[in-house]
Amino acid sequence: MASLFLLIFPVAPILLDVKKGKTDIFVMKREKRMKFFLITLLSHLVGFTLFKSFKYELLAPYMLCYFTVTLTLLFITLKWKISIHSAGVAGPVTYLALVLDYRYSVLYLPLILTMWARYKMKAHSIS
């Protein structure tokens, strides 16, 4: 169920628009991002609501974490180009490390790879 609300529902509309030729896979044009942010926010909110109603006490706040990170990114990306990929790793890993156990901090390692890959693809600058 988490895969539906964290991956399938948010990514499927992007893939459909890519197939139709309306956007690129990274949605590089800022003005095209709002639609996908809103779909993703709705998906995270529905996921949170369902997990909360089913009393999944670990997954409900995790979904809320994704919602909060996505909402923050929505506002930031209106003015600046920020790495959504990096934030998508950092926010939930921070939640896991703070709520479950500090040993989850090892999951920050993929964040370094994510940031490096985005830089190498010239999708972002160091700043």
Side-chain angles (χ1 to χ4, degrees):
M1 202 159 90
S3 295
L4 285 174
F5 295 107
L6 291 172
L7 179 64
I8 305 298
F9 294 147
V11 173
I14 296 171
L15 295 177
L16 288 173
D17 274 10
V18 167
K19 187 174 180 171
K20 293 177 187 175
K22 292 182 176 182
T23 190
D24 61 282
I25 193 70
F26 297 115
V27 193
M28 296 296 280
K29 293 188 178 175
R30 215 178 298 172
E31 63 273 6
K32 293 187 176 198
R33 293 179 179 173
M34 181 65 74
K35 170 176 111 173
F36 302 116
F37 269 106
L38 294 176
I39 290 168
T40 301
L41 285 167
L42 179 62
S43 178
H44 294 166
L45 194 57
V46 170
F48 165 73
T49 304
L50 286 174
F51 286 136
K52 191 73 172 161
S53 67
F54 290 129
K55 305 216 184 311
Y56 291 128
E57 297 304 322
L58 183 62
L59 287 174
Y62 192 65
M63 289 297 297
L64 190 59
C65 174
Y66 264 103
F67 177 83
T68 304
V69 168
T70 303
L71 184 63
T72 303
L73 290 172
L74 167 68
F75 289 115
I76 293 172
T77 199
L78 293 174
K79 183 159 175 112
W80 297 288
K81 186 170 183 185
I82 187 170
S83 179
I84 296 166
H85 294 88
S86 296
V89 174
V93 168
T94 301
Y95 169 81
L96 291 171
L98 290 174
V99 172
L100 294 182
D101 192 305
Y102 73 92
R103 289 177 284 189
Y104 280 95
S105 297
V106 72
L107 296 174
Y108 282 117
L109 293 176
L111 176 61
I112 296 165
L113 294 174
T114 302
M115 293 177 352
W116 175 81
R118 302 300 292 151
Y119 175 74
K120 283 304 254 183
M121 293 175 66
K122 297 188 184 334
H124 294 286
S125 65
I126 294 293
S127 62

